Every structure is written in C-alpha cells, then in structure tokens.
Amino acid sequence: MRADSAFLAGVLLSTCPAARCMVISVPSSAPPDSADVDPALVSLSIEFFAFPDYVTQLAGTANCIANLAALRGTSPAVRIGGTTQDRATYDASLAVAVNYTVGSPADAPDTLTYGPAFFELADQLEGDVTLGLNRQLNNQTNSLEAAQRAAQTMSNLFAIELGNEPDCTLYASNSPIVPEGMSWDPDTDAASEEAWFAAFAPMLGNIFQGAVYISWTVEDLLSRIGSGISNVKTVSRHSYPQSACGGASTNLEALMSHSGIVSYTSQFETEASATRAAGKPYLFGETNSATCGGGGISPTFGAALWIVDYVLQGALVGAERLYFHQGTISNCAYCFWGNGTVFSPYYGAVFVSRFLGDDGDRIAMLDNGTSAIGAYAAYAASDELLRVLVTNSNYFNGTGTRDNTTISITGLSTSRNGGVHLLRFTAPAATSEVDQGAAVTIGGGGAFNPTDCTPSGTQTMETVAIVEGVAKVTLRASEAAIVVL
C-alpha cells in the first residue's frame, strides 16, 4: 500500500526539527492491497558444486540458517543449483558427494561428478529443497537417474529444476542440448522443458520448477509450454539488479536506492500475476545484488540495506520466496557467510526477518516509492498491526556530513503511554564491510561471531515517545529501523 500523506505533511512539516521530514500514516489493520508473506520469504540458493563444502566445511552454515529460522519460525528454503548444475554428471558409484578438479580454490569446475552422498547431505537441511540438475548435456537418462535417487533419499525435496539460465550464453551453439543448425530461443527452450518434464513426470510426479530465466520473461514459457504446465510445480525468475561480469561497473548508491528498488521490482509484477493465474507459485529462484559474484558493492552495508528493501518489494510484486545465491566459497562478494566470516549482507537478511518475525503474515508499503525513504508495516494473520519498518537509503560513504531525516509515523494508538521501541540497523557508512572490521550492528551491539555465525553482543531498544498519536523517528542517511509496537 502506498500512503498519500500530503495533508498530514502540511500539518507537521513546520514542527519537524530535522533537515528533512516525511510523514507516514499507518493503517491499524492490514489494508486490502497488502501482500501475503511466505514463512520462507528469505531463502537461499547455493551453487551446485560448492554445496557439499557449504554444509561440511563451513562452521557458519548451520547457525546462519538456524538464526533465520528462529526469527521466522520456519527454516529458509534452499535451492541447490546454478551454472555448475549444467556441468555435472551423476555417478551412482561415486563414494564422495562431489568430485572435481580446479586450478585455484577461487575457480568453479568446468566438469564435475556427484554421487548418492550429495543427496544425503541435502536431506539434512531443515527447509524445502529445490534441486537443480543438468539439462545442457542432453543426457536424460543420467539426470533422471539422479532425480530418482534424490526423490528416494530426500524427505525435504520440494522441486526439481532441469537446467539453469538457458536464455544466457550458457546454452551456446555447441551445447549438446541445442539441435544442429538451430538457435536456442524461447520456443526451443519451452519445447525442451515440456519434453523433459513429460519424460520425468511418470517416475517423479509434477515436481518441476520451470523457466529459471534471467533475461527471458516467464510469459515466454507460460505462452509456449501448453499442457506441459501440468507438470510444473513452481516458476522461477532469476534476478540481479546489476552486473559485475566482464568488467562491468557496479554502483552501490543506485543499488540501495529505495525508489530504484521500487522501479526495478515493478517490472516483475505482470509475470508474477501471469504465474498466479496459471495456478503456480512465482519465485525469485536465484537472486542477489550483481551477477558474477557482485563486484565491489556486494559485501557492504549498503547491500544489506538493499536486501531489506528488496525482499519486501519482492513480496509486494508477488514473489513468494527470494533465494539469495551463495557462490564459490573463496570468491563470492555477495555471499552471506564464508570461511571464518559473516558478511554485511547477512545482517540485512536477519534484520528484515526480524521485522517480519514469526507472526508477520502480511505486509503493506506505506510510502509512494518516489523518495529515498521507505516505510512498511507488518500485520498478523488477524490483521493486527505488529511492526513498522523505515529505511533511509540516502547514500553516505563515510565522508562529509551525514544528513538525517525525521519520519513522523501517524495513526498510532495514544494509549501507548510508554511510547514505542525502536531497533536500529546501522553502520559507519554504506560502504562499511564487516569482514574489513567495520561495526555493522542491529540494536547498537547485536552482531554475529565470524567463525560460526552464532549471535554475539547485545541488542538494545531505543524508546520513542508517542505524542497525540505520532511517533517521530530520526534516521541518518544509510540507516534503517524497526518500530516495535
């Protein structure tokens, strides 16, 4: 919901002491255009070849996932896939989960094999698991054998994805899946998806995740797959607002801009509606800040603020879950955690999960999406107002004066004599990086142990008075807060 608060602004601007002011009116119950929130809205995607190391070699994986689960009451869903799923061959006799050779730990393998132990590790995850398998090599027999073993082993198997981003150059003219003399286009891909789903469904059921596109639209598949839609369980959009591939430049100020996030996510509203009309869940099945690992912007506090805003906008346009991709462990700027490190973006995932809580069932947007200030309300299943989140996406890089904005939140009950509590999300600058020693904090002291991702420090709440139904919250540039009612 977008609030028109021009009248209230005219009343309150004259009394606002800050350099900038904004008025947000909060409905006491969930408005009709609020969005449902899936318990696993914040979910994870893990690169296929790296998945075994994530769960066996990184001490932080289990606890980072558990922290999110504790906040939402449901474990994040996990998609295991990515570019290397289309380089992988199943070997039923392989004694280890995965086998490959790389020249450097920062590299991803060109080819790899995986065995039954891969699925045993996946079965240990608490949440729903979507499994990505190879389609590019055009070996239905091998991928079907893997899918059947996965279905037998994994009690948490949610969906199976056949192929990854066929719309990109990943499916080149020399790929075995591409018919000789033909190009790979939406028609070719839809026919391929339909044929593979139909071949696998008699043994596996209607369990397939369709589309998985980064540039083609979901409608490209929905309009072409015909009766094959009956074998589709979920539809996946891959989404990266920026690119760091091939030396492309990234821009943190643009990434974290509230109005920019609103504009970017709005492009997906029509395909989300089309997917729902087809009776299927619409997912951001792989997403993060920038392609090819994220470049210089992704490990920053600004990227954490982007996650907060982006998750909520994703839900508002109709995405049921957003799967944030975790790539090569030693070469991944946008990852949430790594080897002995918890990165700044993870704090954003935690903060937005804290806002939603285990009782947040619906959300509403309270601003009009045209400024740097964002505001949202979370509501219970009963439509009771629970919490308000405000963000200030004005960019502060640590130099010069850090401006602030006072947000007057109206419509609150005057019976709250003690005021409301405020949980602040902050860092020295938008460019701050936890792994570089910067203090990114929730509630002044709340942080995470870099070794194992256990919570550390102490979160404290600020108290904000309510005067005649109005609470005034001051946010500095590049900062956010949750108002706990």
Side-chain angles (χ1 to χ4, degrees):
M1 175 182 177
R2 296 179 177 178
D4 182 1
S5 52
F7 173 76
L8 284 169
V11 174
L12 294 171
L13 273 178
S14 62
T15 62
C16 180
R20 296 174 180 169
C21 307
M22 187 168 183
V23 179
I24 295 295
S25 178
V26 183
S28 59
S29 60
D33 57 353
S34 57
D36 292 331
V37 177
D38 188 280
L41 177 64
V42 178
S43 287
L44 302 166
S45 168
I46 301 178
E47 183 62 42
F48 190 93
F49 87 94
F51 167 71
D53 281 346
Y54 267 94
V55 294
T56 63
Q57 302 299 316
L58 294 188
T61 297
N63 287 327
C64 279
I65 292 175
N67 293 336
L68 296 172
L71 290 167
R72 293 289 285 128
T74 298
S75 186
V78 175
R79 173 256 190 170
I80 304 169
T83 302
T84 55
Q85 78 184 62
D86 269 327
R87 302 175 183 177
T89 300
Y90 179 62
D91 181 352
S93 65
L94 191 67
V96 295
V98 66
N99 184 46
Y100 59 86
T101 301
V102 290
S104 163
D107 294 339
D110 292 328
T111 62
L112 63 147
T113 56
Y114 62 103
F118 192 98
F119 308 127
E120 294 168 7
L121 291 175
D123 186 52
Q124 296 174 17
L125 295 169
E126 294 292 330
D128 292 339
V129 176
T130 296
L131 178 66
L133 298 176
N134 195 325
R135 181 159 58 102
Q136 183 177 209
L137 293 183
N138 201 29
N139 189 337
Q140 278 195 11
T141 300
N142 185 261
S143 292
L144 177 57
E145 183 183 4
Q148 289 178 293
R149 184 58 180 259
Q152 293 166 4
T153 305
M154 296 170 57
S155 59
N156 52 6
L157 184 62
F158 177 70
I160 291 175
E161 179 185 283
L162 297 173
N164 174 73
E165 296 176 7
D167 52 320
C168 297
T169 55
L170 300 177
Y171 280 34
S173 58
N174 61 349
S175 296
I177 191 72
V178 181
E180 186 175 353
M182 294 183 63
S183 61
W184 197 259
D185 57 27
D187 289 323
T188 313
D189 180 71
S192 172
E193 288 195 50
E194 183 177 10
W196 279 62
F197 297 161
F200 285 34
M203 285 70 73
L204 297 167
N206 304 329
I207 196 174
F208 303 102
Q209 178 151 287
V212 297
Y213 302 144
I214 197 167
S215 58
W216 296 343
T217 70
V218 165
E219 290 100 326
D220 288 329
L221 178 68
L222 296 177
S223 65
R224 291 169 170 83
I225 198 170
S227 61
I229 194 66
S230 63
N231 292 324
V232 174
K233 182 176 183 179
T234 57
V235 171
S236 168
R237 145 69 50 197
H238 289 193
S239 167
Y240 289 85
Q242 296 190 25
S243 175
C245 297
S249 61
T250 54
N251 186 302
L252 181 59
E253 185 174 3
L255 177 75
M256 60 184 281
S257 162
H258 173 63
S259 59
I261 294 167
V262 173
S263 176
Y264 172 80
T265 54
S266 67
Q267 68 182 300
F268 303 120
E269 193 164 6
T270 56
E271 64 178 31
S273 297
T275 303
R276 287 195 303 272
K280 310 298 177 181
Y282 176 77
L283 313 171
F284 283 5
E286 180 186 315
T287 192
N288 219 310
S289 49
T291 55
C292 293
I297 63 172
S298 298
T300 65
F301 179 65
L305 290 173
W306 165 76
I307 285 172
V308 173
D309 229 345
Y310 178 66
V311 163
L312 300 175
Q313 287 298 321
L316 286 164
V317 299
E320 294 191 16
R321 295 174 180 175
L322 294 85
Y323 292 75
F324 287 90
H325 197 54
Q326 315 297 304
T328 306
I329 290 171
S330 57
N331 186 21
C332 182
Y334 55 46
C335 281
F336 285 0
W337 66 89
N339 191 5
T341 306
V342 177
F343 297 103
S344 301
Y346 179 71
Y347 286 66
V350 167
F351 191 72
V352 73
S353 297
R354 171 66 176 83
F355 166 64
L356 296 169
D358 61 5
D359 52 355
D361 192 71
R362 298 182 66 79
I363 59 168
M365 181 178 174
L366 306 179
D367 65 284
N368 64 13
T370 62
S371 77
I373 306 300
Y376 305 89
Y379 297 88
S382 64
D383 283 348
E384 175 191 3
L385 175 63
L386 299 172
R387 289 169 291 276
V388 173
L389 184 145
V390 286
T391 67
N392 183 345
S393 70
N394 282 299
Y395 180 68
F396 178 66
N397 66 2
T399 62
T401 301
R402 190 171 190 174
D403 292 333
N404 59 48
T405 298
T406 294
I407 303 160
S408 296
I409 303 173
T410 71
L412 302 178
S413 172
T414 56
S415 64
R416 301 178 187 272
N417 295 328
V420 295
H421 293 105
L422 188 79
L423 187 68
R424 192 176 297 270
F425 185 34
T426 193
T431 53
S432 296
E433 299 181 31
V434 172
D435 57 308
Q436 299 299 315
V440 173
T441 58
I442 298 172
F448 298 92
N449 186 299
T451 301
D452 63 5
C453 203
T454 52
S456 62
T458 302
Q459 294 184 16
T460 58
M461 296 273 196
E462 304 169 35
T463 300
V464 177
I466 295 179
V467 179
E468 297 181 353
V470 178
K472 292 187 177 183
V473 175
T474 298
L475 290 181
R476 297 180 300 172
S478 304
E479 200 170 65
I482 297 169
V483 179
V484 181
L485 303 175

